[in-house]
Amino acid sequence: MPELPEVETTLRGITPWVLNQEIVAINVYNHAMRWPIPTEVNDLVGLRIEQTYRRAKYLILRLSNQQHLLLHLGMSGVIRVVEADTELFKHDHFEMVLHNGRALRLNDPRRFGCVLMAGHKPEEHALLSQLGPEPLTDEFDGGWLKNHAKNKQLAVKNFIMNNHVVVGVGNIYAAEALFLSGIHPSRAAHNIALKRYQLLANNIKQVLSQAIMAGGTTLNDFKNTDGKPGYFKQHLYVYGRQGMPCFKCGSTIANKVIGQRASCYCPQCQT
C-alpha cells in the first residue's frame, strides 16, 4: 500500500504538470471505486487547478471556484501524468485532461482508491476532519505522543499507526522508527517515558523524511508518477528482515503479529 512518503512523492511529481492548468475534459472509465466517483466531477471542466497539497495520504486539488477534489491511491493505486493521447492502461479508471496536452490518470487494479469532491472546506470532510497532526510539522512531537498515550493500554506500534494520533505512519515506517528508538513494538503506549517519546517522534520525522527524499519505498507494485520505483527499501533496518541478523547487534530479527500486522523488531535492541 502506498504510504505517506509515496503519496508525497506522487504530489511532487504531478504538481509541475497540473498547477495553474485548465481542465479541458474529465473521463471516468469506471465509477465503481471504493466509493462511486460522483457525477459532479464533470463540472470541473473549464476550471483551473490553483493549488495541490497533501493531507495524510490524500491528495487535494484546489480549483478556481474554491472547490476541492480529493484523491486517494488506496491499496494499489498510481497517479501518472502522461501525454493526453497516450493509450489507456488496464485499470485506468479516472482521467483529467489538461490544457497543456497532458492528462492526469488514476490507475488502481484493486479499486480501493477514491475520487471525491470535498467542497469549499476539505478539512471538514468526513474523511479528513478527525485526522491527527502531520508528522513532519511542529505540532507533532514527543509531548503530543505522551499526552495522547495516557491510559492507553494498546501496543505503541498500533498507537503511532492510529491516524487520530498522527497521520501517515504506516507499518513500514512505524517498525523502522521504533527500531531506531530502541522501543519494543508491543510495549504499552502508556508505559513509555516522555524522553523516549521525544526520541520516537524525532525518528518518525527522520524516517519519513528520508523515505520522501529517496522517492518512496518500492514494495509490491508502487510506482511514482514517472514510472520509476522508490528506493527507500534498501535502507530498511527491520521491516521484512525477519530471520536475518540485526545490523546493529547481530541478533536475529524477530517477527510478531501485533494488531493483525506483521511487526519485525530486534529482541536485543528494542525493549
Side-chain angles (χ1 to χ4, degrees):
M1 173 190 295
E3 297 192 21
L4 185 148
E6 286 79 20
V7 178
E8 180 67 24
T9 299
T10 297
L11 174 67
R12 296 182 183 190
I14 69 172
T15 295
W17 301 105
V18 306
L19 192 61
N20 296 318
Q21 288 297 315
E22 180 184 342
I23 301 167
V24 298
I26 294 288
N27 298 309
V28 179
Y29 302 109
N30 190 339
H31 283 272
M33 303 292 287
R34 185 175 183 182
W35 298 282
I37 298 177
T39 57
E40 287 81 0
V41 297
N42 295 311
D43 298 333
L44 303 183
V45 175
L47 300 178
R48 191 177 68 258
I49 299 171
E50 293 190 337
Q51 184 184 9
T52 63
Y53 63 101
R54 177 190 55 75
R55 179 67 172 111
K57 293 193 285 186
Y58 294 92
L59 294 171
I60 303 173
L61 307 183
R62 179 169 62 83
L63 306 165
S64 52
N65 67 349
Q66 305 308 304
Q67 292 282 340
H68 295 77
L69 184 70
L70 200 66
L71 303 168
H72 194 279
L73 300 177
M75 297 287 291
S76 58
V78 175
I79 290 178
R80 291 185 176 91
V81 176
V82 299
E83 296 286 350
D85 59 358
T86 301
E87 185 176 350
L88 290 174
F89 291 2
K90 185 179 180 180
H91 306 303
D92 278 348
H93 302 310
F94 174 81
E95 177 182 52
M96 177 186 292
V97 183
L98 305 171
H99 186 263
N100 60 4
R102 300 273 175 165
L104 181 150
R105 292 179 181 171
L106 172 62
N107 182 286
D108 186 1
R110 300 182 191 177
R111 292 185 291 151
F112 285 132
C114 71
V115 179
L116 297 171
M117 297 303 301
H120 290 88
K121 296 182 178 180
E123 68 277 6
E124 296 180 0
H125 191 279
L127 294 173
L128 305 180
S129 62
Q130 301 300 314
L131 294 176
E134 291 286 330
L136 300 179
T137 62
D138 292 340
E139 183 182 0
F140 174 69
D141 58 16
W144 173 276
L145 287 175
K146 183 63 176 177
N147 288 337
H148 285 76
K150 291 179 181 178
N151 304 316
K152 295 289 193 307
Q153 301 290 332
L154 79 167
V156 64
K157 182 164 179 280
N158 293 345
F159 174 64
I160 62 174
M161 288 178 63
N162 185 331
N163 281 327
H164 298 298
V165 175
V166 58
V167 301
V169 185
N171 198 31
I172 302 170
Y173 305 108
E176 294 298 298
L178 287 167
F179 172 78
L180 292 173
S181 306
I183 299 173
H184 195 288
S186 64
R187 177 180 284 272
H190 74 91
N191 193 27
I192 295 174
L194 174 60
K195 185 175 181 179
R196 298 193 82 184
Y197 266 134
Q198 290 170 335
L199 178 61
L200 177 58
N202 288 337
N203 281 324
I204 288 172
K205 293 174 184 285
Q206 175 185 317
V207 167
L208 291 173
S209 296
Q210 288 177 345
I212 290 169
M213 290 181 64
T217 303
T218 299
L219 291 170
N220 299 323
D221 50 6
F222 174 76
K223 297 289 188 297
N224 62 29
T225 50
D226 60 5
K228 297 178 182 178
Y231 295 103
F232 188 64
K233 187 176 182 181
Q234 60 188 303
H235 302 295
L236 299 178
Y237 285 99
V238 290
Y239 185 88
R241 298 193 65 248
Q242 58 268 30
M244 301 180 186
C246 173
F247 290 132
K248 286 190 175 181
C249 73
S251 298
T252 301
I253 298 297
N255 183 39
K256 181 179 182 180
V257 176
I258 301 174
Q260 300 181 330
R261 302 295 297 272
S263 302
C264 293
Y265 65 98
C266 176
Q268 182 67 31
C269 296
Q270 295 174 253
T271 60

